[in-house]
Amino acid sequence: MNESIHAACTWCYEGVWSMLTNWFRVPRQPPTLPVADDTVVTSFRPSDNYLRYLKLFFWIGCVAIDIGLAILWIVIAVASPLVGVLITPLMLFVMIVPDIVAYVAIHLKFDTMWYVLSDRSMRIRRGIWVIHETTITFENIQNVRLTQGPIERYFGFANLVVETAGGGASAEGQSHGQPHQGIMVGLANASELRDCIMDKARQSQSAGLGDDRHDSGKKCMATGFTDVDVALLAEIRNQIVQLPLQNATGN
């Protein structure tokens, strides 16, 4: 039963997603970077735990607002039963429709967010109504800050604030709308990605144009894989490598 409900919700959302992306002309593919044909480009979205994090605050807000509206509705109905009956359709509309719109907006926000990294630069995209794309070259990066609150730690992700030359954090620590910062939210492997970006920044800055820089071998992995996932994949790889040896011994 739960699988049927999940499949029905997914089907409905896919239809709404398709309609809204066509309506707002939201690109479905990740942004591109001007790179050579043989350059490895990594594209990824935030971790699924970030979507669960957004839904937590969505449900908290919905419950609080709907309870307040229900109390108001009851007070009006007690004071004037006729008025309470007349405003019933309006109250139901106000309590239900905004919740549906907000729920779909959360998914759209998550699905339209992209991070793209190459060997020389990175690009961040977010937005539905207005699409914002921030491109940062590694040679201009001055610092990469990791931010993580207690609830974010519970969900197992963190955020990275990339500061470029001339940039700096505001007093509140916000980076949206600032010309010298880019923010990557919902990263499951934020620490590894921060080290990777800083390593690429040091290489780019020490090599000038970057044509003769040495590759340290460190690759920026896409988010979504935790340490447990990586360990499991490594174990599977080791077992696959040992298969030919076991077959040879058996023969």
Side-chain angles (χ1 to χ4, degrees), residues 1 4 6 14 20 47 54 71 84 103-104 106 108-109 120 134 136 176 200 205 213 217 236 240:
M1 183 66 178
S4 300
H6 177 72
E14 289 294 335
L20 291 179
S47 167
L54 294 176
I71 293 175
Y103 187 83
V104 172
I106 288 175
L108 289 174
K109 175 183 179 179
R120 299 192 181 193
T134 302
I136 299 173
H176 293 286
K200 288 181 177 292
Q205 293 165 6
R213 67 170 180 263
I236 295 173
I240 293 175

Side-chain angles (χ1 to χ4, degrees), residues 140-169:
N140 290 329
I141 293 177
Q142 299 295 309
N143 186 37
V144 181
R145 294 188 293 109
L146 187 150
T147 63
Q148 186 183 54
I151 301 180
E152 293 163 338
R153 282 196 297 272
Y154 174 80
F155 281 96
F157 72 88
N159 309 317
L160 290 183
V161 179
V162 182
E163 300 175 354
T164 63

Side-chain angles (χ1 to χ4, degrees), residues 16-117:
V16 174
W17 159 252
S18 178
M19 179 183 67
L20 291 179
T21 51
N22 291 332
W23 187 15
F24 292 117
R25 299 182 181 273
V26 177
R28 299 193 179 192
Q29 301 300 321
T32 58
L33 285 170
V35 296
D37 295 337
D38 58 345
T39 301
V40 177
V41 177
T42 305
S43 303
F44 54 93
R45 288 195 178 106
S47 167
D48 290 339
N49 288 336
Y50 178 64
L51 180 59
R52 299 185 183 98
Y53 168 84
L54 294 176
K55 287 182 178 180
L56 170 65
F57 288 95
F58 162 78
W59 288 116
I60 292 175
C62 282
V63 170
I65 294 175
D66 289 348
I67 289 177
L69 291 173
I71 293 175
L72 176 62
W73 186 9
I74 293 174
V75 170
I76 294 176
V78 170
S80 177
L82 179 60
V83 175
V85 172
L86 293 176
I87 66 172
T88 296
L90 176 62
M91 295 299 294
L92 291 175
F93 179 87
V94 172
M95 293 173 65
I96 296 175
V97 174
D99 293 349
I100 296 175
V101 173
Y103 187 83
V104 172
I106 288 175
H107 277 270
L108 289 174
K109 175 183 179 179
F110 178 81
D111 289 341
T112 55
M113 197 174 296
W114 281 101
Y115 309 129
V116 181
L117 281 78

Side-chain angles (χ1 to χ4, degrees), residues 178-198:
Q178 300 218 3
H180 300 293
Q181 290 188 359
I183 186 168
M184 305 173 71
V185 299
L187 304 177
N189 61 336
S191 298
E192 293 83 356
L193 191 59
R194 175 192 58 191
D195 296 340
C196 178
I197 292 175
M198 290 302 298

